[in-house]
Amino acid sequence: MRLHLAPDLHADDINRQYQEIRAVTASGPNSIALLSAQEIASAVQRRTLSAVKVFEATVERIERHNGQLNAIVRFDPEVGRSQAREADARATAGEKLPLLGVPFTVKDSLWVRGSLATQGSKLFENFIAPQDSLAVARLRSAGAVYIGATNCPEFAAKGVTENLLYGVTRNPWRTQDGKCCTTGGSSGGSASAVAAGFGSFSLGTDAGGSIRRPAAHCGIVGFKPSHGLVPDPHGFTDASMGLSVVGPMARTAGDIALILRCIMGYDARDPQSILLPEHMTALDVMRPPSTGLRIAFSRDLGCGFSCDPDVMCAVESAVAMLRQRGFQVESTDPHWPAITATYEELACEEAGLASLYGDAWRAGSPKMDVTIGQLIDTGIRRSGVEIAQAMLRRRPIHESLARFFDEVDLLICPTAPVTAWPLDENLPQTIGGKPAGFRGHAAFTPLFNICGVPACSVPVGFVRGLPVGLQIIGPRFSDERVLQMARFIEQLLPQPSCPLASPGIFIDKTDRRDEI
């Protein structure tokens, strides 16, 4: 049986074919590895499934497919196997832990105690993390089983996932003519791993869309929490000067909420950390969102951002389904200050990179990516006044979105204006028929880092055989509301479990062609 998703299918046809693909992929020998975190933790605690069995199924997938994807760059099965045995022992002892036995990966820009942590840079190829990043430690305490580190561009500072240390990461999804595609960046290794079934979830970081855009390109859910919810007091220094947050990537919004409950919470060692608002302690995403929500849909965020027409069509189809189900969705844009159109979002990161790694670059280190070196050169040339202006201009942008959220409860827009592009193209050349520029592919995400608000990418379909993501944004600390809507939308358009059956989104049960 061969299934194919055409770009012009009616929504009901898409739903039907998604369900057929889900049935095909879930029936394979590695279906255990594709279970959700919620399903695994519940089964391990009830002792109807062992954590070791889940881990071995995951190892089998990694060993079979990671050589093609290069999503995971460090992986020691014995370490994870020991943790899985411990999880089974804790289940036998009657411990109730929210992530007991659930396998996960960690972006290489975060720390795992006693393991290499490189940020995708040869400058750190021998660095051993002295302790866990706090989110990693909290996941371990919740019973999760660490698998390995996922690839990222050098210093997590590029929109594609490649580096001189580990090479390029590939997207599990291919074009309809079989071309390998990028995952985007910088959490591209994590997105590829989750989409491929290399663990139930991954931890990423997001300073301008680095969780959300790779999630959109790989057909999974990626969530940037409200700033301050997930503390990160120890690890590599944030070159973006306060914009980066740690967040989860998973195959369902329900899993995102489960993970977020485990990693959020005040820590005095992080100056940006806040005490949890009382309404956020439960994070009940199983409750459907109210049809009384005031929802804004913006095609260009009021900034004139370009988007490929077929990508916009997929997003508009999801918006139409919300309207059909009784939601009031108004086409309107945020009202940004005039400075927004000319705001240089990379100015602070360029200066941060120059401060942290400029000496190594200027010394002529052959260990550094030339593109990163160009960002450093620009940062070196920037004056203190320019950096101060970039920092000061964040406030009116933040204030303008806060005022917009006095009028609406949620904002919906594309996550990325393009699908994943072929690996042989450095970046998209055009978007919506216009020159893309260096950051056109990333236009729809960075403003929400500046504003510190929650934002989630959820899959809403395919165009040209590749996934499309819709971005849901809410006011700060409305993370529960954002995730409720994400879960509602994914229920409207259930996603295939895994794209590894053969090139693109074709599934064939007759010839077992399940290599990429």
Side-chain angles (χ1 to χ4, degrees):
M1 178 180 68
R2 185 176 294 278
L3 301 177
H4 172 59
L5 294 185
D8 56 351
L9 284 177
H10 185 272
D12 290 340
D13 295 323
I14 295 174
N15 255 317
R16 175 180 54 77
Q17 290 199 2
Y18 278 175
Q19 297 289 10
E20 291 174 357
I21 293 175
R22 195 177 191 85
V24 170
T25 55
S27 64
N30 289 325
S31 58
I32 289 174
L34 300 178
L35 293 173
S36 71
Q38 293 170 300
E39 291 168 330
I40 291 171
S42 176
V44 169
Q45 287 185 357
R46 295 197 315 269
R47 299 177 64 193
T48 58
L49 178 65
S50 76
V52 169
K53 188 171 183 178
V54 173
F55 181 77
E56 296 301 343
T58 305
V59 169
E60 182 181 348
R61 291 189 70 83
I62 294 169
E63 291 179 341
R64 187 175 189 182
H65 296 295
N66 191 56
Q68 297 292 326
L69 298 180
N70 194 34
I72 295 177
V73 293
R74 289 190 304 281
F75 169 53
D76 184 345
E78 283 308 312
V79 172
R81 195 169 284 120
S82 174
Q83 295 174 53
R85 293 192 192 102
E86 181 183 351
D88 283 333
R90 297 173 83 171
T92 300
E95 290 192 50
K96 303 295 183 183
L97 297 170
L99 291 172
L100 191 60
V102 178
F104 75 104
T105 57
V106 174
K107 183 178 180 179
D108 195 23
S109 59
L110 296 169
W111 285 4
V112 176
R113 184 183 67 251
S115 299
L116 283 172
T118 74
Q119 299 187 94
S121 175
K122 286 189 172 183
L123 294 180
F124 290 89
E125 60 186 328
N126 297 312
F127 175 75
I128 303 297
Q131 61 190 119
D132 285 337
S133 290
L134 184 57
V136 174
R138 288 177 171 179
L139 290 173
R140 290 184 191 268
S141 296
V145 174
Y146 171 68
I147 298 174
T150 59
N151 205 18
C152 68
E154 190 165 23
F155 310 132
K158 288 174 65 174
V160 292
T161 299
E162 61 182 14
N163 57 57
L164 299 177
L165 186 58
Y166 296 116
V168 65
T169 292
R170 298 170 185 84
N171 195 322
W173 300 96
R174 288 189 176 192
T175 63
Q176 289 176 317
D177 59 358
K179 289 184 178 180
C180 291
C181 289
T182 183
T183 58
S186 63
S187 302
S190 290
S192 180
V194 172
F198 303 166
S200 295
F201 69 92
S202 189
L203 272 188
T205 62
D206 189 315
S210 288
I211 285 174
R212 290 160 286 157
R213 291 195 311 276
H217 293 321
C218 292
I220 65 169
V221 184
F223 184 65
K224 183 195 81 66
S226 292
H227 285 224
L229 281 189
V230 181
D232 189 27
H234 28 251
F236 293 115
T237 302
D238 173 20
S240 71
M241 302 188 193
L243 296 184
S244 184
V245 296
V246 176
M249 308 171 78
R251 292 186 290 273
T252 71
D255 276 0
I256 294 287
L258 174 62
I259 300 154
L260 184 59
R261 280 195 292 268
C262 295
I263 62 176
M264 67 182 187
Y266 177 71
D267 189 283
R269 294 168 293 182
D270 183 343
Q272 295 192 72
S273 182
I274 55 94
L275 293 172
L276 285 181
E278 185 174 347
H279 73 275
M280 287 203 59
T281 54
L283 276 183
D284 179 12
V285 301
M286 304 305 289
R287 187 175 72 249
S290 167
T291 54
L293 288 174
R294 302 165 298 171
I295 303 173
F297 168 51
S298 178
R299 291 173 174 81
D300 66 358
L301 288 184
C303 297
F305 296 147
S306 296
C307 184
D308 281 346
D310 51 2
V311 171
M312 183 59 69
C313 183
V315 172
E316 289 176 339
S317 295
V319 171
M321 280 190 276
L322 289 177
R323 288 172 172 151
Q324 290 169 8
R325 282 156 179 78
F327 289 92
Q328 300 302 309
V329 184
E330 180 183 352
S331 294
T332 187
D333 302 317
H335 314 297
W336 306 104
I339 59 168
T340 307
T342 58
Y343 183 76
E344 296 188 78
E345 52 153 311
L346 293 181
C348 291
E349 184 173 29
E350 291 163 348
L353 289 170
S355 174
L356 293 167
Y357 311 114
D359 289 345
W361 173 249
R362 284 178 290 190
S365 172
K367 296 184 174 183
M368 296 182 68
D369 186 318
V370 172
T371 302
I372 303 301
Q374 292 169 347
L375 295 176
I376 289 173
D377 284 338
T378 303
I380 291 170
R381 291 193 299 268
R382 290 192 180 278
S383 69
V385 171
E386 286 181 289
I387 303 308
Q389 286 176 338
M391 296 290 288
L392 292 172
R393 285 175 177 173
R394 291 178 180 179
R395 181 165 183 168
I397 293 173
H398 181 281
E399 290 175 344
S400 66
L401 188 65
R403 287 192 298 270
F404 180 70
F405 279 127
D406 287 337
E407 304 167 7
V408 303
D409 299 307
L410 290 173
L411 169 63
I412 290 175
C413 68
T415 305
V418 293
T419 58
W421 54 92
L423 283 178
D424 58 7
E425 300 176 15
N426 185 36
L427 290 171
Q429 298 303 302
T430 62
I431 299 175
K434 301 176 182 178
F438 181 60
R439 291 286 286 175
H441 70 98
F444 284 84
T445 51
L447 285 168
F448 306 117
N449 291 79
I450 294 171
C451 297
V453 296
C456 185
S457 180
V458 61
V460 291
F462 294 84
V463 298
R464 290 169 275 111
L466 294 168
V468 173
L470 175 146
Q471 186 174 204
I472 308 161
I473 308 100
R476 195 175 183 197
F477 305 132
S478 66
D479 301 59
E480 180 181 74
R481 185 191 309 159
V482 168
L483 290 173
Q484 285 173 347
M485 181 57 72
R487 183 177 184 275
F488 185 83
I489 289 174
E490 74 180 6
Q491 296 301 308
L492 296 182
L493 287 172
Q495 298 299 289
S497 298
C498 179
L500 285 180
S502 59
I505 52 173
F506 293 87
I507 307 297
D508 194 332
K509 293 181 70 177
T510 61
D511 60 11
R512 294 178 59 96
R513 292 193 304 160
D514 49 6
E515 294 291 335
I516 290 182

